[in-house]
Amino acid sequence: MHLSPALNTYTKDTMSAPEAQRLAQYIAWGPAIFQATRLMLKYGLLDMLRDAPDGLTQKEMEERSGLSEYAIRCLTEASLSAGTVKVDPASDRFTLSKVGWFLLTDPAVRVNIDFNHDVNYEGWFRLDESLREGRPAGLEHFGPWPTIYEGLSSLPEQVQRSWFGFDHFYSDSSFAEALDIIFAGGRVRSLYDVGGNTGRWALRCVEHDEQVRVTVIDLPQQIEMMKHAVEGHAGANRISGYGMNLLDPSASLPRMSDGPDAIWMSQFLDCFSKPEIESILRRAREAMQGSSRLFIMETLWDRQRYETATLCLTMTSLYFTALANGNSKMYSTADMEECIDAAGMRIERIHDHLGQGHSIIECTIK
């Protein structure tokens, strides 16, 4: 197993017994800790404490927030145990802790909180069922679709906002570096954006290079969303859509006489099981010719620079289990290597530590 240096903590147990016992209870009360913290953010209580250098009493928070004495006491006392606030026993004044500061200032934390509350929270109640049956049982909370992707355009507005906010936050941070990697040497004139979603990457490509033509390949309903999203933007005339269900093993990628020059898959293969990934990659291989290159951008959990990022990724796998499709996850390097090899391709290079922990696996035909 490949593990980055930051993951050495996964190989040994270094906690004291009291630390381990507290963490066990923290896990047991995790749902309550999450919701109390989310409400401290929603009601602006953590913001108030950040903006009060001398801290605030519970009475002052009650007056400023409009919440009842009971609500303030419940939330602030729970927050003491959660570690998001501190209190001075002499003055009964509450202040923001370092954890509370990161809750307010780390954009990834806010994106994750919204995603987990709006998209995942109720669906995870059926995680057990999802794991045993290999289907997203928690998705039934929103609708009857076999995967969340068919239902994206029909999800409630706030759920869509949190889902796309999560998806775009993690992908967009890597786009600038990814463009430099893909367009190095200026050899890309035709590009397939497989699983292109709303066309954000396609727009970045046509803005970056005035010659490239991009074909977004996704579900038909996603292609319609993409067309509306790119309409009116510079270079949109060089973006086309190709609707297909990539889960259908008989569905082929469009063929070109001399290419495409590049095939791009960003945060896409983690939406499928390993057998499905192999099928998709085989069909990508069939569409490639000569110097065509495949670029796979994923947040591989075992290549992260910081352990905190790995924590976010391994927990995200449980979203795929209960809500997305029931059979995919955030993969490791070894998982991807196995699928790429089985599809008749080889890895030429892996570019690590782009944006929010992405890697780009650059592949060619064997």
Side-chain angles (χ1 to χ4, degrees):
M1 177 183 288
H2 173 279
L3 289 176
S4 67
L7 304 184
N8 285 337
T9 55
Y10 289 5
T11 66
K12 61 193 76 171
D13 198 342
T14 59
M15 282 188 181
S16 67
E19 289 171 336
Q21 184 182 38
R22 188 184 192 282
L23 180 57
Q25 290 289 4
Y26 204 92
I27 292 168
W29 289 98
I33 292 168
F34 174 82
Q35 290 295 354
T37 303
R38 186 184 69 83
L39 294 177
M40 289 287 286
L41 286 164
K42 177 181 178 180
Y43 297 143
L45 297 174
L46 294 184
D47 290 281
M48 290 179 197
L49 293 175
R50 176 195 56 195
D51 298 337
D54 298 324
L56 295 171
T57 64
Q58 290 173 318
K59 183 65 176 176
E60 288 170 333
M61 283 186 272
E62 178 188 336
E63 292 169 350
R64 297 187 187 192
S65 68
L67 295 172
S68 68
E69 176 187 1
Y70 172 78
I72 291 294
R73 287 186 178 275
C74 284
L75 288 174
T76 54
E77 289 163 13
S79 296
L80 282 173
S81 295
T84 59
V85 302
K86 297 297 179 185
V87 69
D88 178 357
S91 64
D92 289 339
R93 302 187 78 80
F94 287 74
T95 55
L96 196 67
S97 71
K98 291 178 183 177
V99 176
W101 176 260
F102 278 109
L103 284 162
L104 287 174
T105 60
D106 185 342
V109 172
R110 299 300 291 269
V111 165
N112 290 341
I113 285 176
D114 289 344
F115 180 64
N116 286 329
H117 177 69
D118 294 326
V119 180
N120 297 325
Y121 199 82
E122 293 184 79
W124 271 335
F125 187 80
R126 299 180 67 179
L127 179 61
D128 181 12
E129 188 177 346
S130 300
L131 286 166
R132 287 186 289 104
E133 298 180 8
R135 67 182 186 90
L139 182 59
E140 293 174 12
H141 168 68
F142 293 118
W145 316 288
T147 74
I148 201 169
Y149 311 108
E150 286 94 335
L152 271 179
S153 60
S154 302
L155 290 173
E157 184 178 348
Q158 180 57 42
V159 178
Q160 283 192 43
R161 193 156 42 237
S162 293
W163 191 95
F164 283 111
F166 179 84
D167 182 71
H168 293 163
F169 176 81
Y170 284 101
S171 61
D172 289 8
S173 66
S174 308
F175 278 178
E177 296 167 284
L179 287 166
D180 290 338
I181 291 170
I182 290 172
F183 288 92
R187 58 176 180 258
V188 177
R189 288 294 172 266
S190 57
L191 182 145
Y192 288 173
D193 182 4
V194 183
N197 215 324
T198 56
R200 290 167 74 91
W201 168 254
L203 282 172
R204 293 292 294 270
C205 287
V206 296
E207 290 169 1
H208 182 85
D209 189 303
E210 294 182 352
Q211 302 298 318
V212 70
R213 303 190 71 85
V214 180
T215 302
V216 177
I217 301 172
D218 213 321
L219 292 165
Q221 55 266 47
Q222 288 299 111
I223 295 299
E224 290 306 310
M225 291 177 68
M226 179 276 294
K227 289 178 179 178
H228 289 298
V230 304
E231 187 176 3
H233 289 271
N237 61 313
R238 288 182 283 122
I239 300 173
S240 60
Y242 187 86
M244 64 177 287
N245 181 5
L246 284 148
L247 283 173
D248 179 357
S250 66
S252 299
L253 273 66
R255 302 295 179 89
M256 301 176 65
S257 59
D258 59 347
D261 298 317
I263 298 177
W264 170 252
M265 299 179 182
S266 172
Q267 293 185 180
F268 174 67
L269 294 181
D270 54 43
C271 301
F272 303 95
S273 68
K274 285 181 68 177
E276 290 166 346
I277 292 172
E278 290 180 16
S279 171
I280 291 167
L281 292 180
R282 284 194 190 97
R283 284 173 280 154
R285 161 68 182 83
E286 291 168 0
M288 296 167 68
Q289 294 188 23
S291 61
S292 297
R293 288 176 177 263
L294 168 68
F295 296 90
I296 300 169
M297 187 165 81
E298 288 289 343
T299 42
L300 302 169
W301 71 259
D302 60 331
R303 303 186 77 87
Q304 297 305 304
R305 182 178 289 164
Y306 303 109
E307 191 280 331
T308 300
T310 297
L311 165 68
C312 296
L313 294 173
T314 55
M315 295 302 116
T316 299
S317 289
L318 304 182
Y319 145 74
F320 286 110
T321 304
L323 277 300
N325 52 38
N327 61 7
S328 73
K329 63 190 291 293
M330 305 307 291
Y331 289 102
S332 68
T333 307
D335 291 328
M336 283 296 163
E337 287 176 340
E338 183 181 336
C339 294
I340 291 165
D341 180 68
M345 288 181 280
R346 65 172 179 265
I347 297 174
E348 286 221 335
R349 184 178 175 188
I350 300 179
H351 309 262
D352 285 325
H353 309 314
L354 289 83
Q356 293 285 330
H358 282 87
S359 296
I360 291 180
I361 307 173
E362 188 174 344
C363 307
T364 56
I365 299 169
K366 278 186 183 178

Short mmCIF file of all heavy atoms in Angstrom, two decimals, residues 230-274:
data_model
loop_
_atom_site.label_atom_id
_atom_site.label_comp_id
_atom_site.label_asym_id
_atom_site.label_seq_id
_atom_site.Cartn_x
_atom_site.Cartn_y
_atom_site.Cartn_z
N VAL A 230 -23.13 27.41 -20.53
CA VAL A 230 -22.04 28.02 -21.31
C VAL A 230 -22.54 29.07 -22.30
O VAL A 230 -21.75 29.85 -22.84
CB VAL A 230 -21.22 26.95 -22.07
CG1 VAL A 230 -20.70 25.90 -21.10
CG2 VAL A 230 -22.03 26.29 -23.18
N GLU A 231 -23.83 29.09 -22.51
CA GLU A 231 -24.41 30.00 -23.51
C GLU A 231 -24.02 31.45 -23.22
O GLU A 231 -24.13 31.93 -22.09
CB GLU A 231 -25.93 29.86 -23.52
CG GLU A 231 -26.62 30.64 -24.64
CD GLU A 231 -28.12 30.38 -24.66
OE1 GLU A 231 -28.63 29.66 -23.77
OE2 GLU A 231 -28.78 30.92 -25.55
N GLY A 232 -23.54 32.13 -24.27
CA GLY A 232 -23.18 33.54 -24.13
C GLY A 232 -21.77 33.79 -23.68
O GLY A 232 -21.30 34.93 -23.70
N HIS A 233 -21.04 32.74 -23.26
CA HIS A 233 -19.66 32.91 -22.83
C HIS A 233 -18.72 32.88 -24.02
O HIS A 233 -18.99 32.24 -25.05
CB HIS A 233 -19.26 31.81 -21.84
CG HIS A 233 -19.91 31.95 -20.50
ND1 HIS A 233 -19.35 32.68 -19.47
CD2 HIS A 233 -21.08 31.46 -20.00
CE1 HIS A 233 -20.14 32.63 -18.42
NE2 HIS A 233 -21.20 31.89 -18.70
N ALA A 234 -17.58 33.55 -23.88
CA ALA A 234 -16.58 33.55 -24.93
C ALA A 234 -16.12 32.13 -25.23
O ALA A 234 -15.82 31.37 -24.30
CB ALA A 234 -15.39 34.42 -24.52
N GLY A 235 -16.08 31.79 -26.51
CA GLY A 235 -15.62 30.46 -26.90
C GLY A 235 -16.67 29.38 -26.86
O GLY A 235 -16.38 28.22 -27.18
N ALA A 236 -17.90 29.72 -26.47
CA ALA A 236 -18.95 28.71 -26.36
C ALA A 236 -19.24 28.04 -27.70
O ALA A 236 -19.70 26.89 -27.73
CB ALA A 236 -20.23 29.33 -25.80
N ASN A 237 -18.96 28.73 -28.79
CA ASN A 237 -19.18 28.14 -30.13
C ASN A 237 -18.21 27.00 -30.43
O ASN A 237 -18.40 26.25 -31.38
CB ASN A 237 -19.05 29.22 -31.21
CG ASN A 237 -17.66 29.85 -31.25
OD1 ASN A 237 -17.12 30.22 -30.21
ND2 ASN A 237 -17.09 29.98 -32.42
N ARG A 238 -17.16 26.87 -29.59
CA ARG A 238 -16.22 25.76 -29.76
C ARG A 238 -16.46 24.65 -28.75
O ARG A 238 -15.63 23.77 -28.56
CB ARG A 238 -14.79 26.28 -29.66
CG ARG A 238 -14.36 27.10 -30.88
CD ARG A 238 -12.93 27.58 -30.80
NE ARG A 238 -12.80 28.72 -29.91
CZ ARG A 238 -12.01 28.75 -28.85
NH1 ARG A 238 -11.30 27.69 -28.50
NH2 ARG A 238 -11.93 29.85 -28.10
N ILE A 239 -17.61 24.70 -28.09
CA ILE A 239 -18.00 23.65 -27.14
C ILE A 239 -19.23 22.94 -27.68
O ILE A 239 -20.24 23.59 -27.99
CB ILE A 239 -18.30 24.23 -25.74
CG1 ILE A 239 -17.08 24.94 -25.17
CG2 ILE A 239 -18.78 23.14 -24.79
CD1 ILE A 239 -17.35 25.68 -23.87
N SER A 240 -19.17 21.65 -27.79
CA SER A 240 -20.32 20.86 -28.22
C SER A 240 -20.62 19.80 -27.16
O SER A 240 -19.79 19.53 -26.29
CB SER A 240 -20.06 20.20 -29.58
OG SER A 240 -18.94 19.34 -29.51
N GLY A 241 -21.80 19.21 -27.25
CA GLY A 241 -22.19 18.19 -26.29
C GLY A 241 -22.49 16.87 -26.96
O GLY A 241 -22.97 16.83 -28.10
N TYR A 242 -22.21 15.80 -26.24
CA TYR A 242 -22.50 14.45 -26.74
C TYR A 242 -23.13 13.68 -25.59
O TYR A 242 -22.46 13.33 -24.61
CB TYR A 242 -21.21 13.78 -27.21
CG TYR A 242 -21.41 12.44 -27.90
CD1 TYR A 242 -21.68 12.37 -29.27
CD2 TYR A 242 -21.35 11.24 -27.18
CE1 TYR A 242 -21.86 11.14 -29.91
CE2 TYR A 242 -21.53 10.01 -27.80
CZ TYR A 242 -21.79 9.97 -29.17
OH TYR A 242 -21.97 8.76 -29.79
N GLY A 243 -24.44 13.44 -25.69
CA GLY A 243 -25.15 12.77 -24.61
C GLY A 243 -25.06 11.27 -24.70
O GLY A 243 -25.36 10.68 -25.74
N MET A 244 -24.64 10.65 -23.60
CA MET A 244 -24.58 9.19 -23.56
C MET A 244 -24.53 8.73 -22.12
O MET A 244 -24.14 9.48 -21.22
CB MET A 244 -23.35 8.65 -24.31
CG MET A 244 -22.02 9.06 -23.71
SD MET A 244 -20.58 8.34 -24.56
CE MET A 244 -20.69 6.62 -24.03
N ASN A 245 -24.94 7.50 -21.90
CA ASN A 245 -24.86 6.89 -20.58
C ASN A 245 -23.61 6.03 -20.53
O ASN A 245 -23.56 4.95 -21.13
CB ASN A 245 -26.11 6.04 -20.31
CG ASN A 245 -26.08 5.39 -18.94
OD1 ASN A 245 -25.18 5.64 -18.13
ND2 ASN A 245 -27.07 4.56 -18.66
N LEU A 246 -22.61 6.49 -19.83
CA LEU A 246 -21.33 5.79 -19.78
C LEU A 246 -21.41 4.47 -19.02
O LEU A 246 -20.50 3.66 -19.08
CB LEU A 246 -20.26 6.70 -19.19
CG LEU A 246 -19.78 7.76 -20.18
CD1 LEU A 246 -19.39 9.04 -19.48
CD2 LEU A 246 -18.64 7.23 -21.03
N LEU A 247 -22.52 4.26 -18.30
CA LEU A 247 -22.70 2.98 -17.62
C LEU A 247 -23.15 1.89 -18.59
O LEU A 247 -23.12 0.71 -18.25
CB LEU A 247 -23.73 3.12 -16.50
CG LEU A 247 -23.22 3.80 -15.22
CD1 LEU A 247 -24.38 4.02 -14.25
CD2 LEU A 247 -22.12 2.98 -14.56
N ASP A 248 -23.54 2.28 -19.79
CA ASP A 248 -23.91 1.31 -20.81
C ASP A 248 -22.64 0.84 -21.51
O ASP A 248 -22.01 1.61 -22.25
CB ASP A 248 -24.85 1.97 -21.82
CG ASP A 248 -25.27 1.02 -22.95
OD1 ASP A 248 -24.79 -0.13 -22.98
OD2 ASP A 248 -26.06 1.47 -23.80
N PRO A 249 -22.21 -0.40 -21.30
CA PRO A 249 -20.93 -0.86 -21.86
C PRO A 249 -20.91 -0.89 -23.38
O PRO A 249 -19.84 -0.96 -23.99
CB PRO A 249 -20.78 -2.27 -21.28
CG PRO A 249 -22.15 -2.70 -20.90
CD PRO A 249 -22.88 -1.45 -20.51
N SER A 250 -22.07 -0.81 -24.00
CA SER A 250 -22.12 -0.80 -25.46
C SER A 250 -22.05 0.61 -26.03
O SER A 250 -21.95 0.78 -27.26
CB SER A 250 -23.40 -1.48 -25.96
OG SER A 250 -24.55 -0.71 -25.58
N ALA A 251 -22.10 1.61 -25.18
CA ALA A 251 -22.07 3.01 -25.64
C ALA A 251 -20.62 3.45 -25.83
O ALA A 251 -19.83 3.46 -24.89
CB ALA A 251 -22.77 3.91 -24.63
N SER A 252 -20.29 3.82 -27.06
CA SER A 252 -18.92 4.21 -27.39
C SER A 252 -18.75 5.72 -27.38
O SER A 252 -19.70 6.47 -27.67
CB SER A 252 -18.54 3.69 -28.79
OG SER A 252 -18.59 2.28 -28.84
N LEU A 253 -17.55 6.17 -27.07
CA LEU A 253 -17.23 7.58 -27.21
C LEU A 253 -17.21 7.93 -28.69
O LEU A 253 -16.92 7.08 -29.53
CB LEU A 253 -15.87 7.90 -26.57
CG LEU A 253 -15.87 8.22 -25.08
CD1 LEU A 253 -16.27 7.02 -24.25
CD2 LEU A 253 -14.49 8.73 -24.64
N PRO A 254 -17.51 9.18 -29.06
CA PRO A 254 -17.49 9.56 -30.47
C PRO A 254 -16.11 9.33 -31.08
O PRO A 254 -15.09 9.54 -30.41
CB PRO A 254 -17.88 11.04 -30.45
CG PRO A 254 -17.64 11.49 -29.05
CD PRO A 254 -17.86 10.31 -28.18
N ARG A 255 -16.08 8.91 -32.33
CA ARG A 255 -14.82 8.61 -33.02
C ARG A 255 -14.42 9.79 -33.90
O ARG A 255 -15.25 10.39 -34.57
CB ARG A 255 -14.96 7.35 -33.87
CG ARG A 255 -15.37 6.10 -33.07
CD ARG A 255 -14.30 5.70 -32.07
NE ARG A 255 -14.70 4.53 -31.31
CZ ARG A 255 -14.47 3.28 -31.68
NH1 ARG A 255 -13.87 3.03 -32.83
NH2 ARG A 255 -14.85 2.28 -30.91
N MET A 256 -13.13 10.04 -33.94
CA MET A 256 -12.56 11.06 -34.82
C MET A 256 -11.48 10.38 -35.66
O MET A 256 -10.84 9.42 -35.22
CB MET A 256 -11.95 12.21 -34.02
CG MET A 256 -12.91 12.93 -33.11
SD MET A 256 -12.10 14.22 -32.11
CE MET A 256 -11.59 15.36 -33.39
N SER A 257 -11.26 10.89 -36.87
CA SER A 257 -10.29 10.26 -37.75
C SER A 257 -8.86 10.37 -37.23
O SER A 257 -8.02 9.51 -37.49
CB SER A 257 -10.37 10.88 -39.15
OG SER A 257 -10.12 12.28 -39.08
N ASP A 258 -8.57 11.42 -36.46
CA ASP A 258 -7.19 11.63 -36.01
C ASP A 258 -7.09 11.93 -34.52
O ASP A 258 -6.18 12.57 -34.06
CB ASP A 258 -6.57 12.79 -36.79
CG ASP A 258 -7.36 14.08 -36.60
OD1 ASP A 258 -8.49 14.00 -36.08
OD2 ASP A 258 -6.85 15.14 -36.97
N GLY A 259 -7.98 11.44 -33.76
CA GLY A 259 -7.86 11.80 -32.34
C GLY A 259 -9.07 11.38 -31.55
O GLY A 259 -9.79 10.51 -31.97
N PRO A 260 -9.34 12.03 -30.47
CA PRO A 260 -8.96 13.36 -30.00
C PRO A 260 -7.50 13.45 -29.52
O PRO A 260 -6.88 12.42 -29.24
CB PRO A 260 -9.91 13.60 -28.82
CG PRO A 260 -10.13 12.21 -28.28
CD PRO A 260 -10.17 11.31 -29.48
N ASP A 261 -7.00 14.68 -29.43
CA ASP A 261 -5.66 14.87 -28.91
C ASP A 261 -5.60 14.54 -27.42
O ASP A 261 -4.60 14.02 -26.94
CB ASP A 261 -5.20 16.32 -29.13
CG ASP A 261 -5.13 16.67 -30.60
OD1 ASP A 261 -4.64 15.84 -31.38
OD2 ASP A 261 -5.59 17.77 -30.96
N ALA A 262 -6.67 14.87 -26.71
CA ALA A 262 -6.68 14.64 -25.26
C ALA A 262 -8.09 14.25 -24.80
O ALA A 262 -9.09 14.73 -25.35
CB ALA A 262 -6.22 15.89 -24.51
N ILE A 263 -8.11 13.39 -23.81
CA ILE A 263 -9.36 13.05 -23.12
C ILE A 263 -9.17 13.44 -21.65
O ILE A 263 -8.15 13.07 -21.04
CB ILE A 263 -9.69 11.56 -23.24
CG1 ILE A 263 -9.91 11.17 -24.70
CG2 ILE A 263 -10.93 11.23 -22.42
CD1 ILE A 263 -10.18 9.69 -24.91
N TRP A 264 -10.12 14.17 -21.12
CA TRP A 264 -10.03 14.72 -19.76
C TRP A 264 -11.15 14.12 -18.91
O TRP A 264 -12.31 14.12 -19.32
CB TRP A 264 -10.15 16.23 -19.83
CG TRP A 264 -10.32 16.97 -18.53
CD1 TRP A 264 -11.46 17.58 -18.09
CD2 TRP A 264 -9.32 17.22 -17.54
NE1 TRP A 264 -11.24 18.18 -16.88
CE2 TRP A 264 -9.93 17.98 -16.51
CE3 TRP A 264 -7.98 16.86 -17.42
CZ2 TRP A 264 -9.24 18.40 -15.39
CZ3 TRP A 264 -7.29 17.29 -16.29
CH2 TRP A 264 -7.91 18.05 -15.30
N MET A 265 -10.78 13.61 -17.74
CA MET A 265 -11.76 13.09 -16.79
C MET A 265 -11.41 13.68 -15.43
O MET A 265 -10.43 13.28 -14.80
CB MET A 265 -11.71 11.56 -16.72
CG MET A 265 -12.02 10.87 -18.03
SD MET A 265 -11.93 9.06 -17.88
CE MET A 265 -12.29 8.56 -19.58
N SER A 266 -12.21 14.63 -14.97
CA SER A 266 -11.93 15.32 -13.71
C SER A 266 -12.97 14.94 -12.67
O SER A 266 -14.17 15.14 -12.88
CB SER A 266 -11.96 16.83 -13.92
OG SER A 266 -11.87 17.53 -12.69
N GLN A 267 -12.51 14.39 -11.54
CA GLN A 267 -13.42 13.98 -10.47
C GLN A 267 -14.59 13.19 -11.05
O GLN A 267 -15.74 13.41 -10.68
CB GLN A 267 -13.93 15.20 -9.70
CG GLN A 267 -12.87 15.90 -8.91
CD GLN A 267 -13.40 17.04 -8.04
OE1 GLN A 267 -12.64 17.67 -7.35
NE2 GLN A 267 -14.69 17.29 -8.03
N PHE A 268 -14.27 12.30 -11.95
CA PHE A 268 -15.29 11.58 -12.70
C PHE A 268 -15.26 10.09 -12.38
O PHE A 268 -16.29 9.49 -12.06
CB PHE A 268 -15.07 11.81 -14.19
CG PHE A 268 -15.96 10.99 -15.08
CD1 PHE A 268 -17.33 11.20 -15.11
CD2 PHE A 268 -15.43 9.99 -15.89
CE1 PHE A 268 -18.15 10.44 -15.93
CE2 PHE A 268 -16.24 9.23 -16.71
CZ PHE A 268 -17.60 9.45 -16.73
N LEU A 269 -14.09 9.48 -12.43
CA LEU A 269 -14.01 8.03 -12.25
C LEU A 269 -14.37 7.60 -10.84
O LEU A 269 -14.78 6.46 -10.63
CB LEU A 269 -12.61 7.54 -12.63
CG LEU A 269 -12.26 7.68 -14.12
CD1 LEU A 269 -10.85 7.13 -14.37
CD2 LEU A 269 -13.28 6.99 -15.01
N ASP A 270 -14.25 8.51 -9.87
CA ASP A 270 -14.66 8.15 -8.51
C ASP A 270 -16.17 7.97 -8.40
O ASP A 270 -16.68 7.56 -7.36
CB ASP A 270 -14.17 9.18 -7.49
CG ASP A 270 -14.57 10.60 -7.82
OD1 ASP A 270 -15.72 10.83 -8.23
OD2 ASP A 270 -13.73 11.51 -7.68
N CYS A 271 -16.89 8.28 -9.49
CA CYS A 271 -18.34 8.10 -9.50
C CYS A 271 -18.75 6.69 -9.93
O CYS A 271 -19.94 6.42 -10.11
CB CYS A 271 -18.99 9.11 -10.45
SG CYS A 271 -18.68 10.83 -10.02
N PHE A 272 -17.77 5.78 -10.11
CA PHE A 272 -18.06 4.46 -10.64
C PHE A 272 -17.32 3.38 -9.86
O PHE A 272 -16.30 3.64 -9.21
CB PHE A 272 -17.66 4.38 -12.12
CG PHE A 272 -18.33 5.41 -12.98
CD1 PHE A 272 -17.70 6.61 -13.27
CD2 PHE A 272 -19.60 5.20 -13.48
CE1 PHE A 272 -18.32 7.58 -14.05
CE2 PHE A 272 -20.24 6.15 -14.27
CZ PHE A 272 -19.59 7.35 -14.55
N SER A 273 -17.82 2.15 -9.96
CA SER A 273 -17.13 1.00 -9.38
C SER A 273 -15.91 0.66 -10.23
O SER A 273 -15.79 1.12 -11.38
CB SER A 273 -18.07 -0.20 -9.33
OG SER A 273 -18.36 -0.64 -10.65
N LYS A 274 -15.03 -0.16 -9.71
CA LYS A 274 -13.82 -0.51 -10.46
C LYS A 274 -14.14 -1.22 -11.79
O LYS A 274 -13.54 -0.87 -12.82
CB LYS A 274 -12.87 -1.35 -9.60
CG LYS A 274 -12.14 -0.52 -8.55
CD LYS A 274 -11.18 -1.36 -7.72
CE LYS A 274 -10.03 -1.86 -8.53
NZ LYS A 274 -9.05 -2.62 -7.71
#
